[in-house]
Amino acid sequence: MTAKRITVFVLLAMMLGLAGCESIGERLQAKFTPEPPRVKLFTAEYEQVFDATKLVLSEMGYRSIRGRVSSRKLTAVGRVNTNDALSGASQISVKVEFVETMPGETEMQVWLTEVVEDQFTQSGGYGTQMPIRGDLLYNMLFRGVELALSPTP
């Protein structure tokens, strides 16, 4: 009788364990799957969109650290923000790619990432990167580029 109870208990434990695997797998996969870019289409040559993006990022407080018109890529970083205790910091990085979909039309792909280091003394200089999922910064950038590209009266 004891062997039967153990067998039933083991089977129940396995069924319960396997029932949660699918949802755990989805959560793990979401953590390690790269965030898709936010995309905006502009009716302008990619050189113009590149220059406008660089200008708008500068006005938003970001510093371009990598990128040339010929590479069709641009990387910028924001200022380093420290916490109140001065024991950690965060910084936003921006990665932009420009894809010419057809002559006179450019797709702008944007990834915003926040790098956070909670404790300087414990993490040894390593930060955690988290994609920014909110729309505010993306929309500010896209709207700024639209305005920079629009003809001035």
Side-chain angles (χ1 to χ4, degrees), residues 129-142:
Q129 293 188 12
M130 298 175 294
I132 295 180
R133 292 185 169 91
D135 293 332
L136 180 64
L137 290 174
Y138 292 99
N139 290 340
M140 286 175 62
L141 177 59
F142 290 145

Side-chain angles (χ1 to χ4, degrees), residues 8-34:
V8 169
F9 177 73
V10 168
L11 287 173
L12 281 174
M14 287 176 52
M15 287 184 354
L16 288 174
L18 291 175
C21 284
E22 187 175 328
S23 64
I24 290 172
E26 290 170 3
R27 284 184 282 171
L28 272 177
Q29 184 179 5
K31 272 190 178 261
F32 296 105
T33 303

Side-chain angles (χ1 to χ4, degrees), residues 43-64:
T43 308
E45 298 295 330
Y46 80 89
E47 295 94 343
Q48 295 170 309
V49 179
F50 181 94
D51 291 338
T53 302
K54 196 169 183 177
L55 174 70
V56 170
L57 284 171
S58 174
E59 290 174 354
M60 290 174 66
Y62 293 91
R63 182 175 50 91
S64 297

Side-chain angles (χ1 to χ4, degrees), residues 49-67 73-79 92-98 108-112 137-138 140-145 148:
V49 179
F50 181 94
D51 291 338
T53 302
K54 196 169 183 177
L55 174 70
V56 170
L57 284 171
S58 174
E59 290 174 354
M60 290 174 66
Y62 293 91
R63 182 175 50 91
S64 297
I65 58 170
R66 192 175 303 118
K73 294 180 182 180
L74 179 63
T75 304
V77 292
R79 64 186 175 93
I92 295 177
S93 68
V94 183
K95 179 183 169 191
V96 185
E97 291 186 12
F98 304 91
M108 187 170 124
Q109 302 174 350
V110 181
W111 293 265
L112 289 168
L137 290 174
Y138 292 99
M140 286 175 62
L141 177 59
F142 290 145
R143 182 69 180 135
V145 172

Side-chain angles (χ1 to χ4, degrees), residues 68-140:
R68 292 198 170 107
V69 173
S70 60
S71 71
R72 299 180 188 217
K73 294 180 182 180
L74 179 63
T75 304
V77 292
R79 64 186 175 93
V80 176
N81 301 306
T82 58
N83 64 16
D84 293 337
L86 299 175
S87 63
S90 68
Q91 184 177 38
I92 295 177
S93 68
V94 183
K95 179 183 169 191
V96 185
E97 291 186 12
F98 304 91
V99 179
E100 189 175 28
T101 55
M102 59 181 15
E105 195 172 270
T106 304
E107 180 182 89
M108 187 170 124
Q109 302 174 350
V110 181
W111 293 265
L112 289 168
T113 306
E114 183 177 26
V115 180
V116 177
E117 186 167 338
D118 292 329
Q119 300 263 338
F120 292 132
T121 57
Q122 293 180 358
S123 60
Y126 295 102
T128 304
Q129 293 188 12
M130 298 175 294
I132 295 180
R133 292 185 169 91
D135 293 332
L136 180 64
L137 290 174
Y138 292 99
N139 290 340
M140 286 175 62

